[in-house]
Amino acid sequence: MKLSYYFFTICTSLILTMSTQAQEFNQNENKWLKGWSNFDPNKTIYPEAEETLPTIIADDTFLRNDIVYLISGDVYVTSGATLTVQQGTVIRCDHKNPANLIVTKGSKLIAAGSEAYPIVFTSNKAARSRASGDWGGITIAGSGNVNSVSGNGVIKGDFNPQFALYGGDKNDEQTTILKYVRIEFAGNKTKRTNHTNGLSLYGIGSSSIIDHIMISYSAQDSYNFTGGNLDMKFLLSYKAEDDDYEISEGFKGILNKVIAIRHPYITSPKGSYAVEINGYNKDLGYIQPDAVSDVTITNSSLINLSDQSNYMHTTAAVAASNAALIYLHNSKISGFSDVVKFDKSYASYAAIEKAFMMDNSFFNIHGDGVRVAFTSEKSPLDILKYNRFTQNFVAVANLFSDPNSKTIPKFDLKKSMNTYMVMQ
């Protein structure tokens, strides 16, 4: 992403096109969730597991949808093997010996479900007894670029060291294929010092395919992108305790049509964000300044289901640190304290203007809008120019058409976009 390029090409015509785009921006944006998503997975009755996966999968393996599988403890896909999961397969994940699926560097996970037959990774507890953090999560290590001095790293989670390396120079690697996959009740905190997330991608290659993924009720991050380079689309995070999308170590990509749905009472003690983006890992150093994490988020909704009784428990929607770059386009941010919070690595208005851009978007917040660690004669709010906003904070149920639906939440604005104010 080149922010100066986008600023020149987009903002010059933005004012002329905003009115015509507003109507398209606000209608039928969540149709892609129909048929395969599940917003009430605790009540879903899944069949009992019939077959337990081995601890080591060192040969190409195919999981059939007429068998329900169990993952117990740490299961590693190794030795360049490919684990292929048939559409419609259900994989139950042990809570007593918390399950983790680790796809090691050079190996591959192909889990291509469909709208009619999604693939489901879920807790092995009975319906109505499942909870966030019942099991660990899915971790995939690739060979793509990582912005560290060594160019690689070790995956978090205290896994077997011989299987934990990620990163390299295979930027076009097809590390994985994931389509129409649900990951439910992951993020276990009890087994290891470094917790696992719903889906952790390390050094992902650009030929990978990731779309139509739903991660619900993760006790840690829903998604964690560490290094690598990949454009992804149709991603949903639902009621995570920690961050919805955590990005670090030089990850680069476009996230198109992504949703984060948070609740102010479901959060971590240190604060949780819809997007937490870190330019590089301070403990590992970095290759060069222009290799920092750089992400475009477009056609997306970052929503906290807050109202006047609980909005004080929310944080900023986006937290940026260590010089990371982020561009938000044609998106909605609602229910948070601020749009974005910058750490002290952004030491001036010029620094945040270079690192952040947002256009043709909408925000509904209860704080100042932009939080910075420096003082400036120029208002940091200027980086939110050319976006529409509510003059006063509006509760989620009053702002959107059906935000709390257990079928498909709808975030169409009840009022026309053109009725809201424009930051100028």
Side-chain angles (χ1 to χ4, degrees), residues 3-225:
L3 283 177
S4 59
Y5 170 79
Y6 280 119
F7 187 83
F8 178 78
T9 58
I10 293 176
C11 289
T12 52
S13 60
L14 180 61
I15 296 176
L16 293 177
T17 60
M18 183 175 277
S19 295
T20 58
Q21 289 180 351
Q23 198 66 15
E24 179 183 356
F25 170 87
N26 193 38
Q27 290 183 340
N28 302 318
E29 59 188 27
N30 292 348
K31 280 187 173 181
W32 58 271
L33 294 170
K34 185 177 180 180
W36 67 278
S37 59
N38 184 351
F39 290 89
D40 202 4
N42 204 1
K43 294 181 181 178
T44 302
I45 299 174
Y46 294 110
E48 293 295 321
E50 304 163 273
E51 184 176 317
T52 302
L53 295 184
T55 302
I56 301 293
I57 299 174
D59 298 307
D60 292 349
T61 300
F62 183 80
L63 304 187
R64 298 162 22 197
N65 60 18
D66 60 344
I67 297 174
V68 178
Y69 298 90
L70 175 70
I71 296 177
S72 184
D74 296 338
V75 171
Y76 296 91
V77 183
T78 70
S79 305
T82 297
L83 176 63
T84 303
V85 185
Q86 188 177 21
Q87 64 175 353
T89 302
V90 174
I91 300 171
R92 305 295 296 270
C93 300
D94 196 359
H95 69 282
K96 292 181 179 179
N97 183 18
N100 283 283
L101 178 62
I102 306 101
V103 183
T104 65
K105 185 176 171 179
S107 302
K108 185 183 294 188
L109 172 63
I110 300 177
S114 65
E115 181 179 310
Y117 302 102
I119 293 166
V120 181
F121 292 83
T122 192
S123 168
N124 71 331
K125 287 183 180 178
R128 300 180 184 274
S129 65
R130 302 168 192 138
S132 300
D134 276 350
W135 62 287
I138 299 174
T139 299
I140 301 174
S143 304
N145 270 354
V146 177
N147 189 22
S148 67
V149 172
S150 64
N152 54 44
V154 177
I155 61 177
K156 297 177 182 178
D158 304 329
F159 294 113
N160 188 325
Q162 67 175 314
F163 299 136
L165 193 67
Y166 67 89
D169 58 4
K170 297 180 180 178
N171 296 325
D172 61 349
E173 175 187 70
Q174 188 176 75
T175 312
T176 189
I177 298 174
L178 301 175
K179 302 184 67 169
Y180 291 100
V181 174
R182 297 203 309 263
I183 300 171
E184 303 167 350
F185 306 105
N188 184 267
K189 302 177 182 179
T190 61
K191 186 175 181 181
R192 51 191 85 234
T193 56
N194 289 313
H195 315 311
T196 49
N197 309 294
L199 177 62
S200 298
L201 304 176
Y202 290 87
I204 191 79
S206 63
S207 295
S208 303
I209 300 172
I210 297 180
D211 66 67
H212 291 88
I213 311 296
M214 178 178 188
I215 302 179
S216 55
Y217 296 102
S218 173
Q220 291 295 302
D221 302 331
S222 287
Y223 300 84
N224 189 294
F225 308 138

